[in-house]
Amino acid sequence: MCNLSNSYGQILQAEVIDTIQEESIVIVHSPKKATIYSAVIPGLGQAYNKKYWKIPIIYAGFGALIYAVTWNNNQYTRFKDAYKQFPNDEFEGIISQAQLLNYVSSYRRDRDLSIVGMAALWGLNILDANVD
């Protein structure tokens, strides 16, 4: 009888060890990894979190903001050069010097706000990867 209970005890012990080994193979999802991934490359943290549908939204936002920065910077440069060359500028006196200065200020502000928007989108991308 002693052998039978001893064998039974060994079988139970083996089953417990197998169960513990199976439970210890758990894939740990790290918010820190997702945050670092998104900080390095926008959208990579969302891919790590398996939220693939968010990646096109992030890149569309960056694309729109890059376009806005480029367009506003080109207009800023155009009107700044016209202001410096007044009255022999490309507008040939149609726009006054005060109006040119107003356009320069407006496009510079819009360019700077677009850059701030890019930084905010980058931060939201990182925050979303961390929270998700």
Side-chain angles (χ1 to χ4, degrees):
M1 262 213 171
C2 188
N3 274 342
L4 183 61
S5 66
N6 192 15
S7 299
Y8 183 70
Q10 288 176 350
I11 291 171
L12 283 178
Q13 185 178 8
E15 286 178 9
V16 169
I17 289 173
D18 286 342
T19 305
I20 291 172
Q21 286 176 351
E22 287 175 11
E23 289 177 6
S24 65
I25 304 174
V26 175
I27 298 172
V28 179
H29 191 79
S30 170
K32 184 177 179 181
K33 267 188 183 179
T35 303
I36 291 170
Y37 287 161
S38 260
V40 173
I41 299 174
L44 191 57
Q46 284 72 14
Y48 176 75
N49 290 335
K50 294 183 176 40
K51 300 290 182 172
Y52 303 109
W53 63 272
K54 293 181 180 182
I55 298 171
I57 295 170
I58 292 168
Y59 280 99
F62 275 113
L65 288 167
I66 288 170
Y67 177 80
V69 168
T70 304
W71 191 78
N72 284 311
N73 190 53
N74 289 341
Q75 295 301 315
Y76 164 70
T77 304
R78 176 183 177 201
F79 283 100
K80 184 176 73 170
D81 291 343
Y83 178 76
K84 288 179 183 177
Q85 297 169 359
F86 188 81
N88 299 324
D89 57 1
E90 69 178 280
F91 303 106
E92 298 177 352
I94 296 172
I95 299 176
S96 70
Q97 196 170 15
Q99 287 173 320
L100 287 173
L101 190 58
N102 187 30
Y103 282 123
V104 168
S105 175
S106 177
Y107 284 115
R108 183 182 59 233
R109 184 191 70 240
D110 292 346
R111 179 201 59 195
D112 294 347
L113 285 175
S114 298
I115 292 170
V116 169
M118 285 178 63
L121 181 59
W122 194 299
L124 286 174
N125 158 60
I126 293 169
L127 182 65
D128 176 67
N130 185 294
V131 170
D132 208 12

